[in-house]
Amino acid sequence: QDAQEKDKAVPPERAEEAKLKAKYPNLGQKPGGSDFLMKRLQKGQKYFDSGDYNMAKAKMKNKQLPSAGPDKNLVTGDHIPTPQDLPQRKSSLVTSKLAG
Amino acid sequence: FLGAGGGNDIQWCFSQVKGAVDDDVAEADIISTVEFNHSGELLATGDKGGRVVIFQQEQENKTQSHSRGEYNVYSTFQSHEPEFDYLKSLEIEEKINKIRWLPQKNAAQFLLSTNDKTIKLWKISERDKRPEGYNLKEEDGRYRDPTTVTTLRVPVFRPMDLMVEASPRRIFANAHTYHINSISINSDYETYLSADDLRINLWHLEITDRSFNIVDIKPANMEELTEVITAAEFHPNSCSTFVYSSSKGTIRLCDMRASALCDRHSKLFEEPEDPSNRSFFSEIISSISDVKFSHSGRYMMTRDYLSVKIWDLNMENRPVETYQVHEYLRSKLCSLYENDCIFDKFECCWNGSDRQVESFSLIVMTGSYNNFFRMFDRNTKRDITLEASRENNKPRTVLKPRKVCASGKRKKDEISVDSLDFNKKILHTAWHPKENIIAVATTNNLYIFQDKMN
């Protein structure tokens, strides 16, 4: 009787898939697939439009440009990334702690 | 004899741990690669901050016959720096993806280190003497007034404190549009390959301004992209043969003698999928994160999210052995997808062997979560789970095996799946090429374990 029940049980992967689809009904139809791959290929891509930046600066010549919220990578709406917002990419001048 | 089974099972003991104790880990300190050199005397690590640290094993000491030499810092240098490609608006991380050592040909040591875009050949050399007694210079470097020189002497070399210097000898740049995931030195010791998501290039170690493209899987229309290259390695003794793995769980073996561009594989290794088991996660968890040839090159090992598979190069349609690393995670895939852990790239390695003989490829090792790592003995089919933790750090005390309770009642000393710490992942491990010494990297610490001698 136990064996029969096991056959009817949903394989764990399918059960997990059902959970995910319940949370995110609009999740891509293609399993795995291009979305992940495109995201992987675009790692490191930063977007900055100098035209938008200069126009925004001109429009608000007397005001402060809106500064980045907590998520500095978020570029939406009126927020134009400014040089002050970009995280400083300095190399590590500190020796690795493995060598300490 | 390595892992001969029965009474000869390896008993692992803690030997050393390197790195800071604090819980607040700086991004730069995250270890991204670990590699022993060919003799095992040197152990290199690379980190997210672009730094390389090399440890050297102490010479064995007759009074310390109970343990093999300890590893101490030998050299450390900044291999790669962060860059910004203005033309493409692309931020290039300095993280060291892979380090590969060249076999030693003279007094100096050479290694290749790579980030996402640039491979560098580093020379590590020792200086233990310096010339003294110049005629025109004082010892501190100041120039002497030539009119005060009345006699001549011949400068001589005198001993000085050992200085280890690392210098970049070759920079192999601008050959990869996508992110480099692998480098592999050919058995001819003259050429090496570098692989990114869509292409594999062949280089000569002496030539930096030219590289040959040997694999290109970029589709004409990027909308048709279905798989990427995840790892690549040259065969250990056939210099025209290499393999590359994909995000769809396949491995292709290519022979460079067949054509200049190896877009058509010579062999395709793929395990048929059970269609009734297919789910949204199937392809993601089948993605191969590492591929390693066995010592003789007769077999190869691949690591996907949940298992390690051993393939016989003579059989393409399925692996000859499959070992489950953490099958209990199959019923956690939903949350592992949500926290991105399902994309973690675990590496795997063979036990060390100084002979390229098949009978010596006996044990495979790979990492897991909660700072656990696993070993599988191919002969006895036994496996063990160990933990890299500062709590077990008494030298010569055998590590206690760990057990994860997948479901049901948890026994004493077992840990339940829901208590596992998914932030403590062991992605990188290495096995000394000749001895039973292993290096295991947690997020920011390097553990060295040895087998109990005597």
Side-chain angles (χ1 to χ4, degrees), chain A residues 24-91:
Chain A
Y24 310 102
N26 295 327
L27 201 54
Q29 297 313 305
K30 317 171 263 213
S34 305
D35 291 340
F36 305 120
L37 300 184
M38 291 311 287
K39 193 169 146 186
R40 178 183 172 136
L41 296 183
Q42 287 186 343
K43 177 188 129 185
Q45 199 76 54
K46 301 286 179 212
Y47 294 100
F48 176 78
D49 188 314
S50 60
D52 283 347
Y53 173 68
N54 284 309
M55 286 192 56
K57 239 168 68 167
K59 198 162 65 170
M60 310 178 118
K61 41 184 186 231
N62 294 325
K63 299 183 216 159
Q64 282 276 1
L65 278 170
S67 63
D71 183 355
K72 292 198 170 161
N73 286 324
L74 198 61
V75 179
T76 56
D78 292 326
H79 174 242
I80 312 290
T82 64
Q84 302 88 279
D85 292 346
L86 292 175
Q88 286 303 308
R89 300 298 289 128
K90 281 200 283 247
S91 68

Side-chain angles (χ1 to χ4, degrees), chain B residues 29-157:
Chain B
D29 290 324
I30 296 173
I31 298 171
S32 50
T33 186
V34 182
E35 188 84 354
F36 280 99
N37 76 336
H38 291 252
S39 66
E41 186 205 352
L42 299 178
L43 173 60
T45 60
D47 66 23
K48 227 177 166 201
R51 301 162 302 187
V52 170
V53 181
I54 301 174
F55 302 92
Q56 182 187 42
Q57 192 178 26
E58 264 173 8
Q59 289 304 307
E60 264 178 63
N61 184 326
K62 289 201 168 66
T63 62
Q64 283 187 313
S65 58
H66 54 261
S67 77
R68 298 180 180 86
E70 280 203 340
Y71 282 84
N72 300 315
V73 179
Y74 178 67
S75 171
T76 178
F77 54 93
Q78 186 77 37
S79 171
H80 288 71
E81 310 240 343
E83 288 175 62
F84 195 85
D85 181 336
Y86 295 99
L87 205 58
K88 296 180 186 166
S89 275
L90 193 68
E91 190 168 52
I92 301 167
E93 264 195 305
E94 65 276 37
K95 170 165 80 82
I96 309 296
N97 293 334
K98 286 283 178 340
I99 288 173
R100 289 286 182 264
W101 289 93
L102 265 68
Q104 192 173 12
K105 285 196 283 194
N106 53 40
Q109 299 276 358
F110 289 85
L111 60 80
L112 284 176
S113 71
T114 187
N115 70 347
D116 282 341
K117 297 285 180 180
T118 304
I119 307 124
K120 296 188 184 180
L121 176 70
W122 287 89
K123 175 180 180 181
I124 295 110
S125 48
E126 293 184 357
R127 193 195 292 261
D128 62 359
K129 29 185 180 302
R130 64 158 178 250
E132 287 176 17
Y134 283 105
N135 292 291
L136 294 176
K137 272 199 295 195
E138 304 286 2
E139 291 314 325
D140 61 8
R142 278 179 305 147
Y143 280 98
R144 287 172 75 190
D145 177 353
T147 59
T148 64
V149 177
T150 52
T151 60
L152 288 179
R153 56 187 176 173
V154 177
V156 291
F157 275 98

Side-chain angles (χ1 to χ4, degrees), chain B residues 38-301:
Chain B
H38 291 252
S39 66
E41 186 205 352
L42 299 178
L43 173 60
T45 60
D47 66 23
K48 227 177 166 201
R51 301 162 302 187
V52 170
V53 181
I54 301 174
F55 302 92
Q56 182 187 42
Q57 192 178 26
E58 264 173 8
Q59 289 304 307
E60 264 178 63
N61 184 326
K62 289 201 168 66
T63 62
Q64 283 187 313
S65 58
H66 54 261
S67 77
R68 298 180 180 86
E70 280 203 340
Y71 282 84
N72 300 315
V73 179
Y74 178 67
S75 171
T76 178
F77 54 93
Q78 186 77 37
S79 171
H80 288 71
E81 310 240 343
E83 288 175 62
F84 195 85
D85 181 336
Y86 295 99
L87 205 58
K88 296 180 186 166
S89 275
L90 193 68
E91 190 168 52
I92 301 167
E93 264 195 305
E94 65 276 37
K95 170 165 80 82
I96 309 296
N97 293 334
K98 286 283 178 340
I99 288 173
R100 289 286 182 264
W101 289 93
L102 265 68
Q104 192 173 12
K105 285 196 283 194
N106 53 40
Q109 299 276 358
F110 289 85
L111 60 80
L112 284 176
S113 71
T114 187
N115 70 347
D116 282 341
K117 297 285 180 180
T118 304
I119 307 124
K120 296 188 184 180
L121 176 70
W122 287 89
K123 175 180 180 181
I124 295 110
S125 48
E126 293 184 357
R127 193 195 292 261
D128 62 359
K129 29 185 180 302
R130 64 158 178 250
E132 287 176 17
Y134 283 105
N135 292 291
L136 294 176
K137 272 199 295 195
E138 304 286 2
E139 291 314 325
D140 61 8
R142 278 179 305 147
Y143 280 98
R144 287 172 75 190
D145 177 353
T147 59
T148 64
V149 177
T150 52
T151 60
L152 288 179
R153 56 187 176 173
V154 177
V156 291
F157 275 98
R158 293 214 191 281
M160 60 179 259
D161 286 340
L162 179 67
M163 216 165 73
V164 182
E165 302 168 317
S167 60
R169 304 305 284 177
R170 305 266 186 279
I171 308 222
F172 304 91
N174 301 319
H176 286 278
T177 304
Y178 302 98
H179 300 104
I180 298 173
N181 51 59
S182 312
I183 45 175
S184 177
I185 299 170
N186 202 347
S187 51
D188 65 10
Y189 298 149
E190 285 190 348
T191 57
Y192 74 94
L193 63 75
S194 56
D196 68 33
D197 293 315
L198 297 178
R199 299 190 177 105
I200 303 180
N201 293 329
L202 181 72
W203 302 84
H204 190 286
L205 284 163
E206 301 286 326
I207 299 169
T208 57
D209 64 357
R210 212 175 324 165
S211 170
F212 291 99
N213 177 237
I214 52 178
V215 172
D216 187 339
I217 65 167
K218 185 177 178 189
N221 180 359
M222 283 300 268
E223 306 269 302
E224 289 163 24
L225 181 71
T226 54
E227 69 185 321
V228 295
I229 297 168
T230 52
E233 190 173 67
F234 264 119
H235 191 276
N237 41 54
S238 169
C239 59
S240 55
T241 308
F242 65 93
V243 294
Y244 68 91
S245 58
S246 85
S247 53
K248 274 183 153 175
T250 65
I251 308 102
R252 286 173 176 80
L253 183 143
C254 301
D255 189 324
M256 296 194 289
R257 294 167 298 190
S259 68
L261 188 61
C262 300
D263 274 0
R264 278 211 305 247
H265 53 261
S266 300
K267 295 198 185 206
L268 172 65
F269 298 84
E270 187 172 15
E271 182 165 27
E273 193 187 17
D274 178 357
S276 63
N277 275 342
R278 183 146 184 95
S279 76
F280 175 83
F281 304 109
S282 301
E283 193 174 302
I284 304 173
I285 62 173
S286 72
S287 177
I288 292 172
S289 47
D290 197 13
V291 63
K292 293 263 170 48
F293 275 106
S294 68
H295 300 103
S296 67
R298 163 83 191 269
Y299 294 95
M300 63 181 172
M301 156 164 64

Side-chain angles (χ1 to χ4, degrees), chain B residues 386-449:
Chain B
L386 299 172
E387 183 179 0
S389 149
R390 284 174 186 268
E391 285 165 24
N392 308 332
N393 60 1
K394 277 194 279 199
R396 296 201 307 285
T397 306
V398 178
L399 292 181
K400 191 173 145 195
R402 298 282 174 226
K403 188 136 169 49
V404 176
C405 170
S407 61
K409 196 162 166 55
R410 186 180 72 87
K411 296 195 190 91
K412 177 182 186 278
D413 286 350
E414 285 187 354
I415 175 166
S416 83
V417 185
D418 297 310
S419 309
L420 294 174
D421 188 341
F422 291 96
N423 289 318
K424 293 189 173 162
K425 33 193 116 179
I426 289 178
L427 304 174
H428 313 285
T429 61
W431 200 307
H432 189 290
K434 299 178 210 281
E435 299 173 25
N436 283 343
I437 301 176
I438 54 176
V440 173
T442 58
T443 306
N444 65 328
N445 282 182
L446 183 72
Y447 286 78
I448 298 172
F449 301 101

